[in-house]
Amino acid sequence: MHNVVFVLGPPGSGKGTICSKIQENLNYVHLSAGDLLRAERQREGSEYGALIESHIKNGSIVPVEITCSLLENAMNASGDAKGFLVDGFPRNEDNLQGWNKQMEGKAVVQFVLFLSCPVSICIDRCLNRGQGRTDDNEESLKKRVETYNHQTYPIIEHFEKSGLVREVKSERSIDEIYADVVNVFNAANKE
Ligand SMILES: Nc1ncnc2c1ncn2[C@@H]1O[C@H](COP(=O)(O)OP(=O)(O)OP(=O)(O)O)[C@@H](O)[C@H]1O
Ligand SMILES: Nc1ccn([C@H]2C[C@H](O)[C@@H](COP(=O)(O)O)O2)c(=O)n1
Ligand SMILES: [Mg+2]
């Protein structure tokens, strides 16, 4: 049974940055759904490359059958760990329903780490990210933020109803955010 922490927040809120620090120090394995999709996009012989690229540039969400299988395969391929940081997933209702269907009996959600951050700060961070992403531009970011507001935030509200959300305000410095994140994980692992 895989132990999972979903990591959600607007584009540029720092999910990847904070997940990397958690992975380094807290024995959780970081799985970025976006990174897995970008790798599949580039994979020789992938039948999904063009579909994935179209969704990424359009800031829309790839069908869950593709993303959830990439996540499950990555979890199964990982060695022992305290758990998995599933970064940027579930991002909409299709992701949530697909996860519930595919991962029933295989994974348990420990909690949802929600990195909240004003969109203006998020957009600036993405525009200055410098990683050559095809979706770090004004047009794609506008669509990604719309997707986050209309499709992803309702998923955070869904988990909030079950008391599973741990919000950390992420407009602060990385060190300040990470100090709070460590406290969240320490508290969760005492329960
Ligand atoms: N607290 C912070 N203060 C300043 N810059 C930050 C902070 N957190 C992350 N960054 C920077 O902002 C950019 C976006 O961070 P990151 O890639 O971790 O965000 P993300 O939530 O994973 O974004 P996406 O959803 O687009 O993948 C990176 O260049 C990162 O170095
Ligand atoms: N569950 C997911 C996660 C990501 N994607 C696609 C669409 C996103 O805009 C893009 C980049 O994700 P990020 O690296 O910003 O987390 O990847 C998706 O379709 N479904
Ligand atoms: Mg990221």
PDB file of all heavy atoms in Angstrom, residues 1-6 29-32 36 67-81 83-87 89 99 102-103 106-109:
ATOM      1  N   MET A   1       0.863  -1.190   0.000  1.00  0.00           N
ATOM      2  CA  MET A   1       0.000   0.000   0.000  1.00  0.00           C
ATOM      3  C   MET A   1       0.906   1.249   0.000  1.00  0.00           C
ATOM      4  O   MET A   1       1.723   1.417   0.920  1.00  0.00           O
ATOM      5  CB  MET A   1      -0.902   0.010   1.244  1.00  0.00           C
ATOM      6  CG  MET A   1      -1.823   1.203   1.368  1.00  0.00           C
ATOM      7  SD  MET A   1      -3.210   1.109   0.259  1.00  0.00           S
ATOM      8  CE  MET A   1      -4.349   0.128   1.207  1.00  0.00           C
ATOM      9  N   HIS A   2       0.791   2.066  -1.032  1.00  0.00           N
ATOM     10  CA  HIS A   2       1.621   3.270  -1.087  1.00  0.00           C
ATOM     11  C   HIS A   2       1.032   4.377  -0.212  1.00  0.00           C
ATOM     12  O   HIS A   2      -0.177   4.645  -0.280  1.00  0.00           O
ATOM     13  CB  HIS A   2       1.705   3.781  -2.523  1.00  0.00           C
ATOM     14  CG  HIS A   2       2.338   2.809  -3.483  1.00  0.00           C
ATOM     15  ND1 HIS A   2       3.595   2.277  -3.292  1.00  0.00           N
ATOM     16  CD2 HIS A   2       1.898   2.277  -4.655  1.00  0.00           C
ATOM     17  CE1 HIS A   2       3.882   1.454  -4.281  1.00  0.00           C
ATOM     18  NE2 HIS A   2       2.866   1.439  -5.122  1.00  0.00           N
ATOM     19  N   ASN A   3       1.903   5.023   0.591  1.00  0.00           N
ATOM     20  CA  ASN A   3       1.486   6.190   1.365  1.00  0.00           C
ATOM     21  C   ASN A   3       1.740   7.439   0.519  1.00  0.00           C
ATOM     22  O   ASN A   3       2.857   7.624   0.012  1.00  0.00           O
ATOM     23  CB  ASN A   3       2.296   6.255   2.671  1.00  0.00           C
ATOM     24  CG  ASN A   3       1.927   7.441   3.520  1.00  0.00           C
ATOM     25  OD1 ASN A   3       0.741   7.694   3.765  1.00  0.00           O
ATOM     26  ND2 ASN A   3       2.920   8.200   3.934  1.00  0.00           N
ATOM     27  N   VAL A   4       0.699   8.264   0.349  1.00  0.00           N
ATOM     28  CA  VAL A   4       0.788   9.377  -0.599  1.00  0.00           C
ATOM     29  C   VAL A   4       0.426  10.697   0.048  1.00  0.00           C
ATOM     30  O   VAL A   4      -0.532  10.784   0.826  1.00  0.00           O
ATOM     31  CB  VAL A   4      -0.162   9.102  -1.801  1.00  0.00           C
ATOM     32  CG1 VAL A   4      -0.433  10.345  -2.622  1.00  0.00           C
ATOM     33  CG2 VAL A   4       0.415   7.994  -2.685  1.00  0.00           C
ATOM     34  N   VAL A   5       1.210  11.731  -0.262  1.00  0.00           N
ATOM     35  CA  VAL A   5       0.852  13.115   0.070  1.00  0.00           C
ATOM     36  C   VAL A   5       0.662  13.847  -1.260  1.00  0.00           C
ATOM     37  O   VAL A   5       1.600  13.932  -2.068  1.00  0.00           O
ATOM     38  CB  VAL A   5       1.963  13.802   0.895  1.00  0.00           C
ATOM     39  CG1 VAL A   5       1.654  15.282   1.091  1.00  0.00           C
ATOM     40  CG2 VAL A   5       2.135  13.108   2.254  1.00  0.00           C
ATOM     41  N   PHE A   6      -0.544  14.321  -1.507  1.00  0.00           N
ATOM     42  CA  PHE A   6      -0.766  15.144  -2.697  1.00  0.00           C
ATOM     43  C   PHE A   6      -0.222  16.537  -2.412  1.00  0.00           C
ATOM     44  O   PHE A   6      -0.420  17.076  -1.311  1.00  0.00           O
ATOM     45  CB  PHE A   6      -2.265  15.237  -3.012  1.00  0.00           C
ATOM     46  CG  PHE A   6      -2.868  13.970  -3.571  1.00  0.00           C
ATOM     47  CD1 PHE A   6      -4.146  13.580  -3.182  1.00  0.00           C
ATOM     48  CD2 PHE A   6      -2.193  13.185  -4.493  1.00  0.00           C
ATOM     49  CE1 PHE A   6      -4.739  12.428  -3.713  1.00  0.00           C
ATOM     50  CE2 PHE A   6      -2.765  12.027  -5.011  1.00  0.00           C
ATOM     51  CZ  PHE A   6      -4.032  11.660  -4.618  1.00  0.00           C
ATOM     52  N   VAL A  29       9.561  10.206  -1.523  1.00  0.00           N
ATOM     53  CA  VAL A  29       9.988  10.250  -2.926  1.00  0.00           C
ATOM     54  C   VAL A  29       9.100  11.229  -3.682  1.00  0.00           C
ATOM     55  O   VAL A  29       7.868  11.152  -3.607  1.00  0.00           O
ATOM     56  CB  VAL A  29       9.895   8.842  -3.564  1.00  0.00           C
ATOM     57  CG1 VAL A  29      10.111   8.908  -5.076  1.00  0.00           C
ATOM     58  CG2 VAL A  29      10.918   7.906  -2.917  1.00  0.00           C
ATOM     59  N   HIS A  30       9.724  12.174  -4.375  1.00  0.00           N
ATOM     60  CA  HIS A  30       9.008  13.226  -5.123  1.00  0.00           C
ATOM     61  C   HIS A  30       8.660  12.740  -6.520  1.00  0.00           C
ATOM     62  O   HIS A  30       9.547  12.383  -7.304  1.00  0.00           O
ATOM     63  CB  HIS A  30       9.897  14.472  -5.214  1.00  0.00           C
ATOM     64  CG  HIS A  30       9.314  15.582  -6.040  1.00  0.00           C
ATOM     65  ND1 HIS A  30      10.112  16.531  -6.668  1.00  0.00           N
ATOM     66  CD2 HIS A  30       8.034  15.894  -6.352  1.00  0.00           C
ATOM     67  CE1 HIS A  30       9.323  17.378  -7.314  1.00  0.00           C
ATOM     68  NE2 HIS A  30       8.056  17.019  -7.129  1.00  0.00           N
ATOM     69  N   LEU A  31       7.367  12.720  -6.814  1.00  0.00           N
ATOM     70  CA  LEU A  31       6.892  12.391  -8.166  1.00  0.00           C
ATOM     71  C   LEU A  31       6.084  13.578  -8.682  1.00  0.00           C
ATOM     72  O   LEU A  31       4.987  13.847  -8.194  1.00  0.00           O
ATOM     73  CB  LEU A  31       6.016  11.139  -8.133  1.00  0.00           C
ATOM     74  CG  LEU A  31       6.690   9.844  -7.638  1.00  0.00           C
ATOM     75  CD1 LEU A  31       5.658   8.715  -7.577  1.00  0.00           C
ATOM     76  CD2 LEU A  31       7.860   9.459  -8.545  1.00  0.00           C
ATOM     77  N   SER A  32       6.659  14.319  -9.649  1.00  0.00           N
ATOM     78  CA  SER A  32       5.950  15.442 -10.254  1.00  0.00           C
ATOM     79  C   SER A  32       5.170  14.930 -11.451  1.00  0.00           C
ATOM     80  O   SER A  32       5.774  14.419 -12.420  1.00  0.00           O
ATOM     81  CB  SER A  32       6.950  16.520 -10.705  1.00  0.00           C
ATOM     82  OG  SER A  32       6.334  17.382 -11.652  1.00  0.00           O
ATOM     83  N   LEU A  36       6.689  13.854 -15.108  1.00  0.00           N
ATOM     84  CA  LEU A  36       6.447  12.536 -15.708  1.00  0.00           C
ATOM     85  C   LEU A  36       5.796  12.691 -17.094  1.00  0.00           C
ATOM     86  O   LEU A  36       6.151  11.985 -18.048  1.00  0.00           O
ATOM     87  CB  LEU A  36       5.549  11.699 -14.798  1.00  0.00           C
ATOM     88  CG  LEU A  36       6.198  11.198 -13.498  1.00  0.00           C
ATOM     89  CD1 LEU A  36       5.141  10.611 -12.563  1.00  0.00           C
ATOM     90  CD2 LEU A  36       7.292  10.166 -13.790  1.00  0.00           C
ATOM     91  N   THR A  67      -1.877   9.919 -17.026  1.00  0.00           N
ATOM     92  CA  THR A  67      -1.106  10.454 -15.897  1.00  0.00           C
ATOM     93  C   THR A  67      -1.063   9.481 -14.724  1.00  0.00           C
ATOM     94  O   THR A  67      -0.007   9.266 -14.125  1.00  0.00           O
ATOM     95  CB  THR A  67      -1.742  11.788 -15.448  1.00  0.00           C
ATOM     96  OG1 THR A  67      -2.006  12.589 -16.604  1.00  0.00           O
ATOM     97  CG2 THR A  67      -0.807  12.540 -14.508  1.00  0.00           C
ATOM     98  N   CYS A  68      -2.201   8.876 -14.416  1.00  0.00           N
ATOM     99  CA  CYS A  68      -2.246   7.995 -13.241  1.00  0.00           C
ATOM    100  C   CYS A  68      -1.393   6.743 -13.476  1.00  0.00           C
ATOM    101  O   CYS A  68      -0.728   6.258 -12.555  1.00  0.00           O
ATOM    102  CB  CYS A  68      -3.691   7.591 -12.943  1.00  0.00           C
ATOM    103  SG  CYS A  68      -3.926   6.997 -11.257  1.00  0.00           S
ATOM    104  N   SER A  69      -1.345   6.260 -14.697  1.00  0.00           N
ATOM    105  CA  SER A  69      -0.492   5.086 -14.989  1.00  0.00           C
ATOM    106  C   SER A  69       0.980   5.446 -14.859  1.00  0.00           C
ATOM    107  O   SER A  69       1.782   4.669 -14.334  1.00  0.00           O
ATOM    108  CB  SER A  69      -0.791   4.560 -16.396  1.00  0.00           C
ATOM    109  OG  SER A  69      -2.125   4.082 -16.435  1.00  0.00           O
ATOM    110  N   LEU A  70       1.341   6.662 -15.295  1.00  0.00           N
ATOM    111  CA  LEU A  70       2.739   7.097 -15.125  1.00  0.00           C
ATOM    112  C   LEU A  70       3.086   7.175 -13.635  1.00  0.00           C
ATOM    113  O   LEU A  70       4.164   6.753 -13.212  1.00  0.00           O
ATOM    114  CB  LEU A  70       2.950   8.464 -15.791  1.00  0.00           C
ATOM    115  CG  LEU A  70       2.852   8.512 -17.320  1.00  0.00           C
ATOM    116  CD1 LEU A  70       2.861   9.960 -17.814  1.00  0.00           C
ATOM    117  CD2 LEU A  70       3.988   7.716 -17.961  1.00  0.00           C
ATOM    118  N   LEU A  71       2.141   7.691 -12.838  1.00  0.00           N
ATOM    119  CA  LEU A  71       2.381   7.788 -11.387  1.00  0.00           C
ATOM    120  C   LEU A  71       2.479   6.402 -10.749  1.00  0.00           C
ATOM    121  O   LEU A  71       3.385   6.136  -9.956  1.00  0.00           O
ATOM    122  CB  LEU A  71       1.269   8.602 -10.731  1.00  0.00           C
ATOM    123  CG  LEU A  71       1.305  10.118 -10.962  1.00  0.00           C
ATOM    124  CD1 LEU A  71      -0.030  10.749 -10.557  1.00  0.00           C
ATOM    125  CD2 LEU A  71       2.457  10.757 -10.180  1.00  0.00           C
ATOM    126  N   GLU A  72       1.538   5.511 -11.097  1.00  0.00           N
ATOM    127  CA  GLU A  72       1.559   4.173 -10.493  1.00  0.00           C
ATOM    128  C   GLU A  72       2.830   3.423 -10.857  1.00  0.00           C
ATOM    129  O   GLU A  72       3.479   2.814 -10.001  1.00  0.00           O
ATOM    130  CB  GLU A  72       0.326   3.362 -10.924  1.00  0.00           C
ATOM    131  CG  GLU A  72       0.252   1.997 -10.235  1.00  0.00           C
ATOM    132  CD  GLU A  72      -1.009   1.208 -10.528  1.00  0.00           C
ATOM    133  OE1 GLU A  72      -1.789   1.600 -11.422  1.00  0.00           O
ATOM    134  OE2 GLU A  72      -1.198   0.178  -9.833  1.00  0.00           O
ATOM    135  N   ASN A  73       3.225   3.513 -12.118  1.00  0.00           N
ATOM    136  CA  ASN A  73       4.468   2.838 -12.540  1.00  0.00           C
ATOM    137  C   ASN A  73       5.672   3.397 -11.788  1.00  0.00           C
ATOM    138  O   ASN A  73       6.548   2.650 -11.347  1.00  0.00           O
ATOM    139  CB  ASN A  73       4.672   3.008 -14.050  1.00  0.00           C
ATOM    140  CG  ASN A  73       3.641   2.267 -14.870  1.00  0.00           C
ATOM    141  OD1 ASN A  73       2.972   1.356 -14.363  1.00  0.00           O
ATOM    142  ND2 ASN A  73       3.474   2.666 -16.124  1.00  0.00           N
ATOM    143  N   ALA A  74       5.693   4.716 -11.592  1.00  0.00           N
ATOM    144  CA  ALA A  74       6.827   5.332 -10.875  1.00  0.00           C
ATOM    145  C   ALA A  74       6.847   4.898  -9.416  1.00  0.00           C
ATOM    146  O   ALA A  74       7.922   4.617  -8.854  1.00  0.00           O
ATOM    147  CB  ALA A  74       6.740   6.852 -10.988  1.00  0.00           C
ATOM    148  N   MET A  75       5.688   4.819  -8.788  1.00  0.00           N
ATOM    149  CA  MET A  75       5.638   4.365  -7.387  1.00  0.00           C
ATOM    150  C   MET A  75       6.093   2.913  -7.278  1.00  0.00           C
ATOM    151  O   MET A  75       6.910   2.560  -6.417  1.00  0.00           O
ATOM    152  CB  MET A  75       4.219   4.537  -6.824  1.00  0.00           C
ATOM    153  CG  MET A  75       3.862   5.973  -6.522  1.00  0.00           C
ATOM    154  SD  MET A  75       2.279   6.156  -5.671  1.00  0.00           S
ATOM    155  CE  MET A  75       1.167   6.044  -7.031  1.00  0.00           C
ATOM    156  N   ASN A  76       5.622   2.095  -8.202  1.00  0.00           N
ATOM    157  CA  ASN A  76       5.979   0.666  -8.151  1.00  0.00           C
ATOM    158  C   ASN A  76       7.476   0.454  -8.420  1.00  0.00           C
ATOM    159  O   ASN A  76       8.077  -0.497  -7.940  1.00  0.00           O
ATOM    160  CB  ASN A  76       5.147  -0.135  -9.162  1.00  0.00           C
ATOM    161  CG  ASN A  76       3.676  -0.194  -8.766  1.00  0.00           C
ATOM    162  OD1 ASN A  76       3.332   0.027  -7.606  1.00  0.00           O
ATOM    163  ND2 ASN A  76       2.805  -0.455  -9.739  1.00  0.00           N
ATOM    164  N   ALA A  77       8.052   1.386  -9.175  1.00  0.00           N
ATOM    165  CA  ALA A  77       9.477   1.242  -9.527  1.00  0.00           C
ATOM    166  C   ALA A  77      10.399   1.808  -8.443  1.00  0.00           C
ATOM    167  O   ALA A  77      11.612   1.614  -8.484  1.00  0.00           O
ATOM    168  CB  ALA A  77       9.755   1.963 -10.844  1.00  0.00           C
ATOM    169  N   SER A  78       9.792   2.532  -7.487  1.00  0.00           N
ATOM    170  CA  SER A  78      10.626   3.150  -6.445  1.00  0.00           C
ATOM    171  C   SER A  78      10.898   2.132  -5.340  1.00  0.00           C
ATOM    172  O   SER A  78      10.105   1.233  -5.087  1.00  0.00           O
ATOM    173  CB  SER A  78       9.899   4.354  -5.825  1.00  0.00           C
ATOM    174  OG  SER A  78       9.762   5.341  -6.806  1.00  0.00           O
ATOM    175  N   GLY A  79      12.014   2.335  -4.667  1.00  0.00           N
ATOM    176  CA  GLY A  79      12.326   1.458  -3.530  1.00  0.00           C
ATOM    177  C   GLY A  79      11.475   1.853  -2.333  1.00  0.00           C
ATOM    178  O   GLY A  79      10.526   2.625  -2.457  1.00  0.00           O
ATOM    179  N   ASP A  80      11.859   1.317  -1.177  1.00  0.00           N
ATOM    180  CA  ASP A  80      11.132   1.644   0.052  1.00  0.00           C
ATOM    181  C   ASP A  80      11.271   3.130   0.370  1.00  0.00           C
ATOM    182  O   ASP A  80      12.338   3.709   0.210  1.00  0.00           O
ATOM    183  CB  ASP A  80      11.702   0.826   1.238  1.00  0.00           C
ATOM    184  CG  ASP A  80      11.081  -0.572   1.261  1.00  0.00           C
ATOM    185  OD1 ASP A  80      10.055  -0.744   0.545  1.00  0.00           O
ATOM    186  OD2 ASP A  80      11.611  -1.466   1.924  1.00  0.00           O
ATOM    187  N   ALA A  81      10.174   3.731   0.767  1.00  0.00           N
ATOM    188  CA  ALA A  81      10.213   5.132   1.195  1.00  0.00           C
ATOM    189  C   ALA A  81       9.083   5.323   2.190  1.00  0.00           C
ATOM    190  O   ALA A  81       8.134   4.514   2.226  1.00  0.00           O
ATOM    191  CB  ALA A  81      10.011   6.060  -0.013  1.00  0.00           C
ATOM    192  N   GLY A  83       6.992   7.530   1.976  1.00  0.00           N
ATOM    193  CA  GLY A  83       5.810   7.852   1.188  1.00  0.00           C
ATOM    194  C   GLY A  83       6.191   8.561  -0.092  1.00  0.00           C
ATOM    195  O   GLY A  83       7.371   8.772  -0.376  1.00  0.00           O
ATOM    196  N   PHE A  84       5.163   8.943  -0.856  1.00  0.00           N
ATOM    197  CA  PHE A  84       5.364   9.598  -2.142  1.00  0.00           C
ATOM    198  C   PHE A  84       4.721  10.985  -2.118  1.00  0.00           C
ATOM    199  O   PHE A  84       3.576  11.130  -1.658  1.00  0.00           O
ATOM    200  CB  PHE A  84       4.747   8.762  -3.271  1.00  0.00           C
ATOM    201  CG  PHE A  84       5.454   7.453  -3.492  1.00  0.00           C
ATOM    202  CD1 PHE A  84       5.001   6.295  -2.879  1.00  0.00           C
ATOM    203  CD2 PHE A  84       6.594   7.397  -4.291  1.00  0.00           C
ATOM    204  CE1 PHE A  84       5.661   5.091  -3.054  1.00  0.00           C
ATOM    205  CE2 PHE A  84       7.261   6.188  -4.477  1.00  0.00           C
ATOM    206  CZ  PHE A  84       6.797   5.044  -3.864  1.00  0.00           C
ATOM    207  N   LEU A  85       5.482  11.955  -2.574  1.00  0.00           N
ATOM    208  CA  LEU A  85       4.948  13.307  -2.761  1.00  0.00           C
ATOM    209  C   LEU A  85       4.433  13.363  -4.188  1.00  0.00           C
ATOM    210  O   LEU A  85       5.225  13.408  -5.140  1.00  0.00           O
ATOM    211  CB  LEU A  85       6.055  14.346  -2.574  1.00  0.00           C
ATOM    212  CG  LEU A  85       6.840  14.276  -1.269  1.00  0.00           C
ATOM    213  CD1 LEU A  85       8.092  15.130  -1.364  1.00  0.00           C
ATOM    214  CD2 LEU A  85       5.977  14.699  -0.094  1.00  0.00           C
ATOM    215  N   VAL A  86       3.116  13.323  -4.359  1.00  0.00           N
ATOM    216  CA  VAL A  86       2.539  13.360  -5.706  1.00  0.00           C
ATOM    217  C   VAL A  86       2.216  14.816  -6.021  1.00  0.00           C
ATOM    218  O   VAL A  86       1.215  15.377  -5.573  1.00  0.00           O
ATOM    219  CB  VAL A  86       1.311  12.438  -5.789  1.00  0.00           C
ATOM    220  CG1 VAL A  86       0.648  12.536  -7.160  1.00  0.00           C
ATOM    221  CG2 VAL A  86       1.737  10.988  -5.522  1.00  0.00           C
ATOM    222  N   ASP A  87       3.137  15.421  -6.760  1.00  0.00           N
ATOM    223  CA  ASP A  87       3.175  16.877  -7.002  1.00  0.00           C
ATOM    224  C   ASP A  87       2.339  17.233  -8.244  1.00  0.00           C
ATOM    225  O   ASP A  87       2.601  16.759  -9.336  1.00  0.00           O
ATOM    226  CB  ASP A  87       4.660  17.238  -7.177  1.00  0.00           C
ATOM    227  CG  ASP A  87       4.939  18.589  -7.790  1.00  0.00           C
ATOM    228  OD1 ASP A  87       3.983  19.348  -8.065  1.00  0.00           O
ATOM    229  OD2 ASP A  87       6.128  18.889  -8.010  1.00  0.00           O
ATOM    230  N   PHE A  89      -1.021  16.815  -8.674  1.00  0.00           N
ATOM    231  CA  PHE A  89      -2.068  15.809  -8.931  1.00  0.00           C
ATOM    232  C   PHE A  89      -2.809  15.530  -7.628  1.00  0.00           C
ATOM    233  O   PHE A  89      -2.146  15.474  -6.568  1.00  0.00           O
ATOM    234  CB  PHE A  89      -1.426  14.496  -9.415  1.00  0.00           C
ATOM    235  CG  PHE A  89      -2.421  13.440  -9.826  1.00  0.00           C
ATOM    236  CD1 PHE A  89      -2.741  13.232 -11.155  1.00  0.00           C
ATOM    237  CD2 PHE A  89      -3.066  12.648  -8.882  1.00  0.00           C
ATOM    238  CE1 PHE A  89      -3.662  12.266 -11.531  1.00  0.00           C
ATOM    239  CE2 PHE A  89      -3.987  11.681  -9.243  1.00  0.00           C
ATOM    240  CZ  PHE A  89      -4.280  11.491 -10.572  1.00  0.00           C
ATOM    241  N   TRP A  99      -8.021   8.477 -10.174  1.00  0.00           N
ATOM    242  CA  TRP A  99      -7.173   7.988  -9.076  1.00  0.00           C
ATOM    243  C   TRP A  99      -7.961   7.035  -8.180  1.00  0.00           C
ATOM    244  O   TRP A  99      -7.480   5.937  -7.863  1.00  0.00           O
ATOM    245  CB  TRP A  99      -6.628   9.158  -8.269  1.00  0.00           C
ATOM    246  CG  TRP A  99      -5.908   8.789  -7.007  1.00  0.00           C
ATOM    247  CD1 TRP A  99      -6.477   8.584  -5.783  1.00  0.00           C
ATOM    248  CD2 TRP A  99      -4.512   8.556  -6.855  1.00  0.00           C
ATOM    249  NE1 TRP A  99      -5.478   8.213  -4.880  1.00  0.00           N
ATOM    250  CE2 TRP A  99      -4.278   8.212  -5.495  1.00  0.00           C
ATOM    251  CE3 TRP A  99      -3.410   8.615  -7.733  1.00  0.00           C
ATOM    252  CZ2 TRP A  99      -3.008   7.933  -5.003  1.00  0.00           C
ATOM    253  CZ3 TRP A  99      -2.131   8.326  -7.237  1.00  0.00           C
ATOM    254  CH2 TRP A  99      -1.946   7.989  -5.889  1.00  0.00           C
ATOM    255  N   GLN A 102      -8.409   3.734 -10.096  1.00  0.00           N
ATOM    256  CA  GLN A 102      -7.203   2.945 -10.411  1.00  0.00           C
ATOM    257  C   GLN A 102      -6.406   2.575  -9.175  1.00  0.00           C
ATOM    258  O   GLN A 102      -5.750   1.545  -9.123  1.00  0.00           O
ATOM    259  CB  GLN A 102      -6.307   3.748 -11.384  1.00  0.00           C
ATOM    260  CG  GLN A 102      -5.060   3.012 -11.829  1.00  0.00           C
ATOM    261  CD  GLN A 102      -4.373   3.686 -13.000  1.00  0.00           C
ATOM    262  OE1 GLN A 102      -4.987   4.375 -13.808  1.00  0.00           O
ATOM    263  NE2 GLN A 102      -3.074   3.480 -13.126  1.00  0.00           N
ATOM    264  N   MET A 103      -6.432   3.431  -8.149  1.00  0.00           N
ATOM    265  CA  MET A 103      -5.532   3.231  -7.011  1.00  0.00           C
ATOM    266  C   MET A 103      -6.227   2.687  -5.758  1.00  0.00           C
ATOM    267  O   MET A 103      -5.605   2.547  -4.718  1.00  0.00           O
ATOM    268  CB  MET A 103      -4.808   4.543  -6.690  1.00  0.00           C
ATOM    269  CG  MET A 103      -3.956   5.080  -7.816  1.00  0.00           C
ATOM    270  SD  MET A 103      -2.768   3.867  -8.436  1.00  0.00           S
ATOM    271  CE  MET A 103      -1.649   3.770  -7.056  1.00  0.00           C
ATOM    272  N   LYS A 106      -4.529   0.323  -3.339  1.00  0.00           N
ATOM    273  CA  LYS A 106      -3.090   0.352  -3.652  1.00  0.00           C
ATOM    274  C   LYS A 106      -2.390   1.548  -3.013  1.00  0.00           C
ATOM    275  O   LYS A 106      -1.172   1.554  -2.883  1.00  0.00           O
ATOM    276  CB  LYS A 106      -2.869   0.443  -5.172  1.00  0.00           C
ATOM    277  CG  LYS A 106      -3.484  -0.676  -5.982  1.00  0.00           C
ATOM    278  CD  LYS A 106      -3.270  -0.396  -7.473  1.00  0.00           C
ATOM    279  CE  LYS A 106      -4.093  -1.280  -8.371  1.00  0.00           C
ATOM    280  NZ  LYS A 106      -3.993  -0.866  -9.801  1.00  0.00           N
ATOM    281  N   ALA A 107      -3.170   2.582  -2.666  1.00  0.00           N
ATOM    282  CA  ALA A 107      -2.563   3.800  -2.108  1.00  0.00           C
ATOM    283  C   ALA A 107      -3.514   4.430  -1.100  1.00  0.00           C
ATOM    284  O   ALA A 107      -4.740   4.314  -1.232  1.00  0.00           O
ATOM    285  CB  ALA A 107      -2.255   4.802  -3.225  1.00  0.00           C
ATOM    286  N   VAL A 108      -2.923   5.072  -0.096  1.00  0.00           N
ATOM    287  CA  VAL A 108      -3.704   5.817   0.900  1.00  0.00           C
ATOM    288  C   VAL A 108      -3.174   7.246   0.919  1.00  0.00           C
ATOM    289  O   VAL A 108      -1.958   7.475   0.876  1.00  0.00           O
ATOM    290  CB  VAL A 108      -3.611   5.162   2.291  1.00  0.00           C
ATOM    291  CG1 VAL A 108      -2.192   5.147   2.836  1.00  0.00           C
ATOM    292  CG2 VAL A 108      -4.549   5.867   3.268  1.00  0.00           C
ATOM    293  N   VAL A 109      -4.108   8.205   0.934  1.00  0.00           N
ATOM    294  CA  VAL A 109      -3.711   9.621   0.954  1.00  0.00           C
ATOM    295  C   VAL A 109      -3.552  10.056   2.407  1.00  0.00           C
ATOM    296  O   VAL A 109      -4.525  10.095   3.166  1.00  0.00           O
ATOM    297  CB  VAL A 109      -4.753  10.504   0.236  1.00  0.00           C
ATOM    298  CG1 VAL A 109      -4.354  11.981   0.298  1.00  0.00           C
ATOM    299  CG2 VAL A 109      -4.900  10.059  -1.222  1.00  0.00           C
TER     300      VAL A 109
END
